Amino acid sequence: MTFKLGLAVGSFVEEYNNKVQIVQLDEDTSEFVVRSTFDHPYPTTKIMWIPDSNKNSDFCAPLTSFDWNEVEPNLIGTSSIDTTCTIWGLETGQMLGRVNVVSGHVKTQLIAHDKEVFDIAFSRAGGGRDMFASVGADGSVRMFDLRHLEHSTIIYEDPAHTPLLRLAWNKQDPNYLSTVAMDACEVIILDVRVPCTPVARLNNHRACVNGIAWAPHSSVHICTAGDDHQALIWDVQQMPRAIEDPILAYTAAEGEINQIQWGATQPDWIAICYNKCLEILRV
């Protein structure tokens, strides 16, 4: 099927039972195909599409990651390969069935890095609403304040400009964040009060690290996971002194662990993903 032309049509029945349909022309069959339908109780006297040129763009750069603001849940930040970070404002509209319709609008968009942006995360610093950080292919960690977007702070730059893929803020102490570089076997922990110099390096993995997650209930525990089939929990309270070994290790994964989450509401559980499997681990 080849679709191009899109139209919205509505019924005009003098009853409390009307509908609107979104239809598109199938150029192969020269027939309209219904793509979506929604209830519209009163008769539709007029229908218009929002005159937003962005909605009609043929190009939309892929998103690489996103984060939900925990203090103000109507804010979401996204990162993209087009070097930008975008902060979205969410608006909850009317309820359709049992689902609230949520729409979003761009609150602000900024060029965050010189190359692709791979991750974004809100910080709990300053009240937890306005501060966020990002990492990207230029090998830097940058911090932003929504109240002062005219400048950013470079927290760290990889000496070899190796792309940084992930970052995670300490859930209890917003002075600390962690990041991991592409194909790196170590996790770097940074203190925003001492930019550019890592306060700790966690390097017991035997293959590249894919996931990092701070404990939701402790400022000194972090879990890392990677291609070596391991999930390691570290106690980092002795920073900036060297941290030699993890305090717990899970080594029974039957594949490369590519994602990890530490339960915010149930901190006794950690979820990991590998191959086609999801496992939950009790800490």
Side-chain angles (χ1 to χ4, degrees), residues 28-244:
D28 296 336
T29 63
S30 297
E31 294 183 355
F32 283 109
V33 176
V34 177
R35 308 292 284 175
S36 180
T37 302
F38 60 89
D39 293 330
H40 191 282
Y42 289 101
T44 53
T45 56
K46 187 174 183 178
I47 302 174
M48 292 183 67
W49 293 98
I50 182 172
D52 186 345
S53 58
N54 292 328
K55 300 293 185 182
N56 300 322
S57 173
D58 291 331
F59 175 77
C60 180
L63 301 180
T64 52
S65 188
F66 77 98
D67 193 34
W68 209 309
N69 191 299
E70 295 182 9
V71 173
E72 192 158 336
N74 67 331
L75 292 181
I76 284 181
T78 60
S79 56
S80 173
I81 67 169
D82 65 1
T83 76
T84 66
C85 287
T86 305
I87 305 301
W88 299 82
L90 303 182
E91 298 172 350
T92 303
Q94 68 185 47
M95 180 176 287
L96 294 181
R98 295 181 178 271
V99 179
N100 280 319
V101 178
V102 179
S103 61
H105 65 278
V106 175
K107 291 184 71 72
T108 187
Q109 185 175 63
L110 64 147
I111 297 175
H113 288 258
D114 299 326
K115 296 181 179 179
E116 298 96 327
V117 188
F118 290 137
D119 203 5
I120 182 174
F122 284 102
S123 167
R124 293 193 177 186
R129 179 190 182 277
D130 298 299
M131 309 286 288
F132 68 93
S134 60
V135 294
D138 58 7
S140 70
V141 180
R142 305 193 183 198
M143 191 160 67
F144 301 87
D145 188 330
L146 290 175
R147 298 162 295 188
H148 306 286
L149 287 174
E150 63 274 9
H151 66 272
S152 63
T153 302
I154 296 178
I155 302 300
Y156 174 75
E157 287 186 295
D158 184 86
H161 301 290
T162 304
L164 301 177
L165 301 184
R166 288 287 174 259
L167 83 157
W169 286 97
N170 188 309
K171 299 297 186 182
Q172 296 295 322
D173 188 341
N175 290 314
Y176 295 102
L177 66 99
S178 56
T179 186
V180 60
M182 182 176 67
D183 297 328
C185 298
E186 69 172 8
V187 173
I188 296 170
I189 298 180
L190 306 168
D191 185 339
V192 298
R193 298 165 296 186
V194 189
C196 301
T197 304
V199 292
R201 295 178 182 270
L202 311 178
N203 50 23
N204 276 49
H205 283 281
R206 298 187 296 270
C208 65
V209 178
N210 298 321
I212 43 181
W214 288 89
H217 60 307
S218 168
S219 63
V220 298
H221 293 99
I222 185 174
C223 187
T224 63
D227 280 0
D228 59 358
H229 303 195
Q230 292 191 104
L232 308 177
I233 295 180
W234 308 77
D235 185 334
V236 298
Q237 61 182 322
Q238 65 183 26
M239 295 187 300
R241 288 180 293 170
I243 300 166
E244 302 294 340

Side-chain angles (χ1 to χ4, degrees), residues 250-263:
Y250 176 74
T251 60
E254 298 178 358
E256 300 171 351
I257 301 175
N258 50 51
Q259 182 62 278
I260 183 170
Q261 293 290 330
W262 201 322

